Amino acid sequence: MDLTYTPEEEEFRARLRAWLAGVLPALPPKPSPDDWPARRAYDLGWQRRLYDAGYAGLHWPVDAGGRGATPTQHLIYLEETEKAGAPYVGANFVGLLHAGPTIASEGSAEQRARWLPPVLRGEEVWCQGFSEPGAGSDLAALRTRAWRDGDDYVVSGSKIWTSHAEVADWCELLVRTDPGARKHRGITWLAMPMDAPGITVRPLRTLAGSTEFAEVFLDEVRVPVANRVGAENDGWRVTMVTLSYERGTAFVGEVVACRRVLAEVAREARKNGRWDDVVLRRRLGRLNAEFRALWRLTQWNVSEAQGTGGVPGVGGSVFKLGYSHARQELFDAAAEVLGPEALDLGREWTLDRLSSLSYTIAAGTSQIQRNIVAERILGLPRGR
Amino acid sequence: MDFRLTDDQRALRQGIRNLLEGRFGRQALRAAVDRADGKGGTHGRSGTDGRSGTHGKGGTGGKRPVGARVLDRELWRELGAAGFFALRLPEADGGVGQGLPEAVLAFEEAGRVLLPGPLIATHLAAGAVAGAATGEVVVTSPDGSLVEWLDEADIVRGDVSGAEPLASVDPLTPLHRLPASAAPRTGSGALRDPWAAGGPGGRPMPDGPGGHPEPDAPGGLASPSCGDTLLTSLLTAAEQLGSAARTCGTAVQHARTREQFGQPIGAFQAVQHLCADMLVRVEVARVAVYAAAVTADPADIAAARLLADEAAVRGARDCLQVYGGMGFTWESDVHLHLKRAWTRTHRAGGATRSEEALADDLVAGSA
Ligand SMILES: Cc1cc2nc3c(=O)[nH]c(=O)nc-3n(C[C@H](O)[C@H](O)[C@H](O)COP(=O)(O)OP(=O)(O)OC[C@H]3O[C@@H](n4cnc5c(N)ncnc54)[C@H](O)[C@@H]3O)c2cc1C
């Protein structure tokens, strides 16, 4: 049990800190949440700066264009960027955190050369076309069809809840290539260009009022066979790789942010007198315990990943269960501190409270995470 | 940074697990419960010969609580010989020279098997009280308004005058209550002071995490110090963690084998989700306890304690639920875990104090 960082790790931290201190003040102001083109430009601009400074794809393998940093260095990166208030990964979420890593580990040399550098340089945005209206938690029930026609797959069907679809260049798409096979067997993982004819994106409004995600209709869209990652009908295995990255690493930096918000909430309570409410005060104290522990859990998972070459295990489900719940509790407590002002959509915490509602749903609901913990970690029998 | 256990730590944990499972396995546990419970399971208080001659034990009123006379002295000496009490004592002083993380692993194992006795008080007395380190001498000390194992202890550190036995809910933890006038007891407020003293960042534990106690002055036994309160809290958290991990494992094992409606109950999602939530609480508490052992930071200790108390108490309750009617019987061990977990939650200040301390921590240095 060693929580101290090595001199090399500390040096990495110091260099990163210095770089952030130099670059952040010169950053343009954040665009409005509804201005998608501006948000895309902002997020890609930040990615480009990271790339130029040598911080792009820190945790990606070197032969995929990454820096081959250790999981601990990646942790330091997430901690420091979050502490410094650097822009969040934003529209690059899918490309950097799960489509990219999936291609890096499952794609061919040509596929890696084609898709990975533009993600790292901040030139292309990816989205995730997994969910369908009839296939959410039961992802393997997906029905979007793809059949071979010469060198192309022809794809028809529809996807839903596709985050950032409006501004994406590529989509990691799951399709059914063998309708006769058992449900998990006939699935294939494709990289679909979002400007191909036959694609219609219809933005959906979230309960927070924004258009984070969309419905995507696919009408005989042609996707080259060369865009298939993994073998035909072997897409379920590739999907598991994608999901382990999505659940394993995606929320790490946010824990740091939550600890900062919690301290701000406490200070606000001191200012407006709510601190005198012992029930509320104790609730904030308890949240302090939870977020401290969630940070330790992150350090634990990262230490474990160091032993497995960086591939996150099912421990990500334990983390996601704890974290998604704690995050919702945090913003409920913030609302308690704000009082009537918690009804003001102009307050950042009000919007954060609304968006925190998605955490127990997106990337696999809490119920599904519990199924995973029960069956794959605890080894309980599968339900019928 | 590598948060995982070192090979030495794994070996130490395994060694203690082997010792405890061999020497205090289920049969020994049940035998101890039977001895404590007395024939017929009546909860009346029997008289006592009123042991005397030990320091500071006046006024126990000649009654003895349920559960006395169950401490296995031979086991206590074996624990001493294995280094359980002298674990953190420097080698130069005849100790094992290990740190807090190792102590936490040892107490986690003690918690798993529900090892009875004033383990923490004796551990903290090693080096200060002759014979404590080797397990020749059993030491207890008052904590808040309670004293554990007063009648069985050879030495009491602190003032216990006016102590009255109470019928302890935990058959394996005899308790005395101290008169209200005796409060505030040792260590009250101790968790808060270090916060107030230090700024954000470095808030060392008052006595120093690796520090071992000064021998008690010849004329009298010193009360446990402020640092001891924090250590008691941390080691209690470790015991709670062990108990929580055990009840989670027990529940999972039962869910795999007990069948209803033609299938193991563990295939039912309602049961699966109870078990999954138990594991999440255990794992979150585990990292909090281990991290607190490494940093010895008072806020980390408070967090570890809060989460481990909850993991132990709720874990035992959920385990009881998974066991169904069998869980409600005296024969199942589930109630023993629950009762001990309840007892431990009263040590070194309860949840309120931890939560208040953690709340203070949020605004430390800013107001
Ligand atoms: C903000 C946000 C962004 C998203 N972004 C994307 C994206 O970019 N790309 C993408 O592909 N998807 C995305 N999703 C979709 C997300 O992965 C799904 O919403 C999620 O997997 C749940 O599926 P569902 O919405 O169809 O709910 P359902 O599967 O219909 O579930 C409804 C309820 O039933 C419960 N339930 C279902 N099955 C079981 C079971 N076996 N046991 C117990 N309970 C069960 C669920 O837990 C839930 O409470 C996003 C979702 C959100 C909220």
Side-chain angles (χ1 to χ4, degrees):
Chain A
M1 288 177 221
D2 186 1
L3 288 170
T4 55
Y5 292 89
T6 65
E8 297 79 52
E9 288 163 350
E10 287 297 2
E11 193 199 313
F12 172 80
R13 185 193 295 277
R15 249 186 300 128
L16 174 61
R17 234 182 232 174
W19 179 74
L20 286 167
V23 74
L24 290 182
L27 228 53
K30 269 203 183 121
S32 115
D34 284 326
D35 187 347
W36 274 99
R39 277 178 70 176
R40 177 187 153 108
Y42 183 86
D43 293 344
L44 291 183
W46 171 243
Q47 181 62 30
R48 181 72 207 194
R49 278 170 204 255
L50 289 172
Y51 180 82
D52 289 340
Y55 290 115
L58 210 54
H59 61 304
W60 288 23
V62 176
D63 63 0
R67 317 296 300 181
T70 62
T72 302
Q73 282 173 323
H74 188 217
L75 185 76
I76 293 171
Y77 168 83
L78 292 168
E79 188 182 8
E80 291 301 325
T81 46
E82 198 56 70
K83 269 189 185 159
Y88 186 55
V89 56
N92 293 312
F93 185 90
V94 172
L96 278 169
L97 295 179
H98 51 90
T102 302
I103 292 167
S105 74
E106 300 292 327
S108 66
E110 302 84 71
Q111 290 175 333
R112 292 154 66 129
R114 166 62 191 88
W115 287 311
L116 300 183
V119 169
L120 294 180
R121 286 196 300 259
E123 289 161 7
E124 290 181 348
V125 169
W126 283 69
C127 64
Q128 181 187 37
F130 282 14
S131 305
E132 296 182 9
S137 300
D138 187 10
L139 184 55
L142 63 92
R143 295 225 302 262
T144 291
R145 279 276 288 126
W147 59 94
R148 287 283 273 269
D149 182 29
D151 291 336
D152 290 337
Y153 285 106
V154 182
V155 184
S156 281
S158 69
K159 295 287 172 178
I160 198 165
W161 320 128
T162 317
S163 303
H164 305 136
E166 276 187 274
V167 292
D169 304 287
W170 293 93
C171 177
E172 48 172 12
L173 185 74
L174 294 186
V175 293
R176 184 160 300 283
T177 33
D178 182 356
R182 300 241 319 271
K183 148 171 153 171
H184 293 81
R185 292 286 157 75
I187 293 171
T188 298
W189 200 107
L190 298 178
M192 176 178 76
M194 287 296 283
D195 59 357
I199 300 179
T200 309
V201 174
R202 189 173 74 87
L204 291 163
R205 195 151 182 244
T206 73
L207 56 73
S210 69
T211 52
E212 292 293 330
F213 50 35
E215 219 168 345
V216 179
F217 300 96
L218 306 165
D219 182 16
E220 306 212 337
V221 180
R222 299 190 81 87
V223 179
V225 172
N227 287 17
R228 187 186 70 216
V229 174
E232 186 168 291
N233 298 330
D234 190 29
W236 188 251
R237 191 186 56 77
V238 184
T239 303
M240 290 301 109
V241 174
T242 309
L243 291 183
S244 78
Y245 282 111
E246 183 173 7
R247 286 163 194 166
T249 49
F251 304 106
V252 168
E254 295 187 17
V255 177
V256 184
C258 283
R259 291 189 69 179
R260 192 188 60 220
V261 170
L262 179 59
E264 281 165 21
V265 170
R267 281 196 290 272
E268 173 82 25
R270 285 281 281 257
K271 247 190 282 161
N272 73 10
R274 295 290 284 128
W275 191 251
D276 295 336
D277 177 342
V278 60
V279 176
L280 180 59
R281 202 168 61 227
R282 287 183 57 182
R283 198 164 146 199
L284 295 175
R286 174 163 284 270
L287 279 166
N288 188 5
E290 285 179 27
F291 280 105
R292 276 169 180 269
L294 286 163
W295 177 243
R296 299 309 186 187
L297 191 55
T298 296
Q299 290 179 312
W300 182 270
N301 286 341
V302 162
S303 296
E304 293 277 331
Q306 214 121 259
T308 62
V311 182
V314 275
S317 291
V318 173
F319 178 82
K320 190 184 180 262
L321 272 172
Y323 173 64
S324 55
H325 179 73
R327 185 182 177 97
Q328 291 173 357
E329 292 279 306
L330 167 63
F331 287 104
D332 281 349
E336 189 80 1
V337 168
L338 288 178
E341 281 192 55
L343 303 177
D344 177 3
L345 279 176
R347 296 291 303 226
E348 201 182 345
W349 291 344
T350 307
L351 283 175
D352 286 339
R353 186 187 193 196
L354 290 173
S355 63
S356 79
L357 299 172
S358 76
Y359 279 71
T360 45
I361 298 170
T365 68
S366 290
Q367 284 69 37
I368 296 300
Q369 303 304 322
R370 288 190 184 97
N371 292 353
I372 292 172
V373 169
E375 288 167 10
R376 291 206 234 144
I377 301 181
L378 296 176
L380 286 169
R382 285 186 71 86
R384 285 182 200 161
Chain B
M1 181 205 71
D2 189 353
F3 196 7
R4 291 172 300 172
L5 271 55
T6 63
D7 289 344
D8 285 348
Q9 285 167 340
R10 275 175 221 280
L12 175 106
R13 183 175 63 177
Q14 195 58 48
I16 292 176
R17 185 170 296 184
N18 292 346
L19 168 75
L20 291 181
E21 277 172 3
R23 220 15 209 89
F24 197 75
R26 172 143 210 278
Q27 276 193 329
L29 169 68
R30 295 311 308 205
V33 171
D34 288 347
R35 276 202 305 281
D37 186 38
K39 282 165 232 54
T42 54
H43 284 239
R45 295 165 182 166
S46 50
T48 181
D49 53 5
R51 295 165 68 239
S52 57
T54 45
H55 180 96
K57 289 178 64 174
T60 59
K63 288 187 281 184
R64 79 181 172 91
V66 172
R69 295 285 176 277
V70 291
L71 199 62
D72 180 345
R73 291 296 183 133
E74 202 182 316
L75 173 57
W76 206 259
R77 277 189 290 271
E78 280 174 55
L79 288 171
F84 190 91
F85 301 118
L87 201 58
R88 289 182 311 113
L89 211 57
E91 285 176 67
D93 299 343
V96 189
Q98 297 290 323
L100 267 186
E102 288 74 20
V104 153
L105 293 175
F107 277 83
E108 181 185 341
E109 294 306 317
R112 280 180 82 83
V113 298
L114 286 174
L115 192 64
L119 295 163
I120 294 175
T122 305
H123 176 93
L124 294 180
V129 172
T134 56
E136 294 300 323
V137 165
V138 175
V139 183
T140 192
S141 68
D143 179 358
S145 60
L146 292 170
V147 204
E148 298 182 7
W149 293 94
L150 184 56
D151 284 340
E152 293 259 325
D154 305 309
I155 298 286
V156 181
R157 300 175 85 202
D159 180 11
V160 290
S161 36
E164 286 280 349
L166 59 85
S168 173
V169 66
D170 175 9
L172 289 184
T173 309
L175 291 171
H176 279 73
R177 194 207 322 264
L178 295 170
S181 61
R185 312 296 317 170
T186 20
S188 100
L191 266 176
R192 301 194 64 157
D193 296 339
W195 260 277
R203 281 174 315 230
M205 184 141 66
D207 284 354
H212 56 286
E214 291 295 309
D216 290 330
L221 296 170
S223 296
S225 67
C226 172
D228 276 357
T229 307
L230 285 168
L231 287 174
T232 299
S233 205
L234 177 63
L235 296 177
T236 297
E239 286 187 292
Q240 297 283 50
L241 168 64
S243 180
R246 168 56 65 91
T247 49
C248 178
T250 306
V252 168
Q253 191 51 39
H254 184 72
R256 280 202 198 113
T257 46
R258 165 75 174 166
E259 291 197 4
Q260 286 294 284
F261 299 97
Q263 60 177 332
I265 56 167
F268 295 113
Q269 208 172 47
V271 174
Q272 290 193 338
H273 287 195
L274 269 181
C275 294
D277 284 342
M278 286 167 87
L279 183 78
V280 171
R281 286 194 300 265
V282 168
E283 292 306 310
V284 170
R286 178 185 307 285
V287 291
V289 171
Y290 289 0
V294 173
T295 65
D297 175 272
D300 277 342
I301 292 175
R305 180 66 194 286
L306 205 54
L307 297 169
D309 276 353
E310 183 167 294
V313 171
R314 289 191 56 190
R317 295 180 75 131
D318 287 351
C319 182
L320 196 151
Q321 188 67 22
V322 171
Y323 263 73
M326 212 220 281
F328 195 66
T329 65
W330 187 265
E331 276 66 41
S332 96
D333 297 343
V334 184
H335 69 108
L336 300 176
H337 278 279
L338 179 57
K339 290 164 178 174
R340 184 74 60 84
W342 277 344
T343 307
R344 293 189 195 110
T345 59
H346 287 267
R347 293 196 197 137
T352 313
R353 193 153 79 186
S354 295
E355 284 171 348
E356 288 282 6
L358 285 158
D360 282 354
D361 170 69
L362 286 173
V363 292
S366 68

